[in-house]
Amino acid sequence: MRTRVQAVLLVFVVIAVAAFAVPLLLFTASDRTQQLVLARSADLDRFASLMDQAAATGDTSAVTAEARRYTQLYGEPLVVTDTRRVPVVQTGGLRAADPAVAQLLDAALRNQTAHPTGSLRPWSRGYRMFAEPAGTGTRVSGAVVLRASVGTAAEDITRRWALVLAGTALVAVACTVLARAATGWVVSPLRRLDRAVGQLAAGLPPEQTRAGGPPELRQLATGFNRMARTVTAALEQQRRLVADTSHQMRNPMAALRLRVDALHTHLLPSADRTYTGVTTELDRLETLLDDLLALATAEHRAGELTVTDGSGAHCDATAVAAAQHRLWEPVAHRAGARLTLRVPETPVPAACTDHELAQITDILLDNAIKYAGRGAAISLRCTAEGRCAVLTVTDDGPGLTTDELALATTRFWRSGRQNGTAGTGLGLAIAEQLLAGRGGRLELGAASPRGLRARAVVPGADRVERGAP
């Protein structure tokens, strides 16, 4: 945002400075050109007056001597003629017979003054021609043509333009510094506020935004800090409630299980069914507490990773897949399923810890073994797709319908066809949170010809970390 604001301000500065500098440059060139014209016009008036006196007295020595001294002093040639275009004096190689000079002389003898038009520029070179009639009123007694060099005037214009441009550059630099300071004054509080909003959105305690900048931003920062403290306190209380509840219920659950197990020896055989039901519900409740704690931990970790740099985490997805296959293959065998592994020979780097990837793989394999049924074929595959590492668990069980796939990651949701299978409906939600924290995603779809395919897509890493999960 700061760059965009600075760009807008700098464009305005450029336009404002240009609107000031360009007219000043044009005025400077026009003013110096006018000075040249006025100076040479004064010289022409003097020679015209001398020629008028020479025409009246018949003595041209004064005008001749003055013209030669002028050319010797200033290096600018001139031609003075009488009314018949007969040269009275010619200096510096300028001749009355030259076509350009002859044209100006004709105009001057018709009582017309010829001065150059257009302003000079620093790159102007060469000379300009001036012509003026001699005489008074409508009586013409001769003509004067002067060839003036523009080199000195162009040099003066160059110096003046350099001063103007230097001043313009200083103004532009000063405006740029002021623009950077102003945008920093305005944008820095917004950047801090944006960072705090990101932390709050991730469920983390945001840093207190320092009040700064314009009064409106200071008021906004103060209001945000009050809101952030209230929201953070509420979120922390909710998180602690879940964690503390899960933790504190473990001891009563353990004591309850001990008492139920102690009562088993005193129960009649007819009460075995009830005892089995009680222990099953105890197992389910313990699993639910474990999953609630795991979900709360996963959500908190995902929130941390959205606002912190987790790029240092890395592992070899191939090694994790192989380790989890060794761990779950006996479990699948006892459940009457067959678990196979397909991994590439080269490492597949993943931007997460091996513990996180192992936990995600455990959830996907546990679901496949439980819900695919006896005799199912389950495959665990690790691949590299572009810049991502992908772990895919595929089974040929009953799978899920399209509507069920849309609800599969919803907390506590379970398919109506799986009511007799143990589970809490939190596993896929936990896996999704773990993947989201690392910038990955969980993809669920139908397998071919039947069954379910679950893909855990994790961003790739630049290096791999060896080690068993």
Side-chain angles (χ1 to χ4, degrees):
M1 179 180 179
R2 181 175 183 175
T3 303
R4 294 193 296 271
V5 174
Q6 285 182 355
V8 173
L9 290 178
L10 290 179
V11 169
F12 174 76
V13 168
V14 170
I15 294 175
V17 171
F20 167 78
V22 172
L24 183 59
L25 293 174
L26 296 178
F27 172 77
T28 301
S30 177
D31 179 67
R32 184 62 181 86
T33 303
Q34 189 66 24
Q35 291 179 12
L36 176 66
V37 171
L38 292 176
R40 296 304 177 268
S41 297
D43 294 338
L44 286 174
D45 289 342
R46 182 162 170 266
F47 286 111
S49 176
L50 291 174
M51 180 58 201
D52 189 47
Q53 294 178 6
T57 62
D59 183 9
T60 61
S61 59
V63 65
T64 301
E66 191 69 21
R68 289 173 178 170
R69 283 196 300 270
Y70 179 86
T71 301
Q72 184 180 6
L73 180 63
Y74 295 106
E76 296 180 349
L78 55 85
V79 172
V80 180
T81 67
D82 58 15
T83 55
R84 297 186 302 274
R85 287 185 52 186
V86 176
V88 175
V89 60
Q90 300 179 124
T91 65
L94 191 66
R95 296 292 179 264
D98 295 340
V101 176
Q103 185 177 2
L104 291 174
L105 289 172
D106 290 340
L109 292 174
R110 293 194 298 270
N111 204 19
Q112 296 177 359
T113 301
H115 291 170
T117 59
S119 297
L120 298 177
R121 297 289 185 265
W123 51 87
S124 296
R125 296 293 181 270
Y127 53 86
R128 297 291 185 271
M129 302 293 288
F130 294 80
E132 187 170 314
T136 57
T138 58
R139 184 181 62 83
V140 176
S141 58
V144 181
V145 173
L146 173 66
R147 188 175 70 188
S149 173
V150 301
T152 302
E155 291 176 358
D156 291 343
I157 294 174
T158 301
R159 286 192 293 270
R160 295 181 184 183
W161 277 30
L163 292 175
V164 172
L165 292 176
T168 302
L170 290 177
V171 172
V173 170
C175 290
T176 301
V177 172
L178 291 176
R180 289 182 61 86
T183 52
W185 182 59
V186 174
V187 175
S188 293
L190 291 177
R191 186 181 293 112
R192 294 193 296 268
L193 187 62
D194 178 69
R195 184 167 57 250
V197 169
Q199 293 173 335
L200 183 62
L204 300 176
E207 61 184 27
Q208 290 295 305
T209 304
R210 186 173 69 254
E216 295 80 4
L217 288 180
R218 293 198 296 269
Q219 183 178 358
L220 178 62
T222 302
F224 174 81
N225 288 334
R226 289 197 301 267
M227 180 196 70
R229 287 192 293 268
T230 303
V231 173
T232 301
L235 291 175
E236 183 61 25
Q237 290 175 358
Q238 182 183 13
R239 186 181 298 115
R240 292 182 58 184
L241 175 63
V242 174
D244 291 346
T245 300
S246 301
H247 178 74
Q248 294 298 327
M249 289 186 68
R250 292 181 182 275
N251 291 335
M253 288 295 299
L256 181 59
R257 178 173 289 280
L258 289 174
R259 287 178 171 82
V260 170
D261 290 342
L263 286 174
H264 186 218
T265 58
H266 302 285
L267 295 177
L268 298 174
S270 59
D272 285 346
R273 182 177 179 182
T274 302
Y275 171 78
T276 302
V278 171
T279 56
T280 300
E281 291 302 322
L282 284 175
D283 292 338
R284 183 172 178 271
L285 188 55
E286 287 178 343
T287 303
L288 179 61
L289 291 176
D290 290 339
D291 287 350
L292 282 174
L293 184 58
L295 179 60
T297 303
E299 289 179 338
H300 182 67
R301 181 59 178 158
E304 286 181 335
L305 292 174
T306 57
V307 293
T308 58
D309 184 12
S311 60
H314 52 274
C315 68
D316 181 7
T318 301
V320 173
Q324 297 312 107
H325 175 262
R326 291 191 298 269
L327 179 65
W328 283 91
E329 188 177 24
V331 178
H333 180 72
R334 288 194 298 269
R338 181 169 56 89
L339 178 60
T340 58
L341 175 67
R342 294 176 59 189
V343 294
E345 296 180 358
T346 57
V348 177
C352 65
T353 64
D354 50 7
H355 175 73
E356 292 169 343
L357 191 57
Q359 187 176 0
I360 294 167
T361 308
D362 287 343
I363 293 172
L364 300 183
L365 289 175
D366 181 56
N367 277 356
I369 293 172
K370 282 194 301 186
Y371 299 125
R374 298 187 65 84
I378 303 170
S379 68
L380 172 60
R381 184 183 180 188
C382 177
T383 56
E385 298 182 6
R387 293 284 298 170
C388 295
V390 181
L391 281 176
T392 304
V393 176
T394 306
D395 65 71
D396 58 357
L400 297 174
T401 65
T402 303
D403 293 338
E404 290 174 336
L405 286 173
L407 300 172
T409 57
T410 304
R411 299 175 187 179
F412 301 107
W413 180 88
R414 299 182 67 202
S415 173
R417 294 172 293 162
Q418 307 294 341
N419 289 333
T421 307
T424 61
L426 292 176
L428 292 179
I430 295 172
E432 187 177 49
Q433 287 296 324
L434 291 172
L435 288 168
R438 291 295 181 181
R441 62 188 183 276
L442 178 63
E443 299 177 353
L444 301 177
S448 179
R450 65 189 183 93
L452 181 68
R453 182 183 68 251
R455 287 162 43 90
V457 182
V458 187
D462 294 332
R463 58 194 177 110
V464 299
E465 182 180 82
R466 293 292 185 180

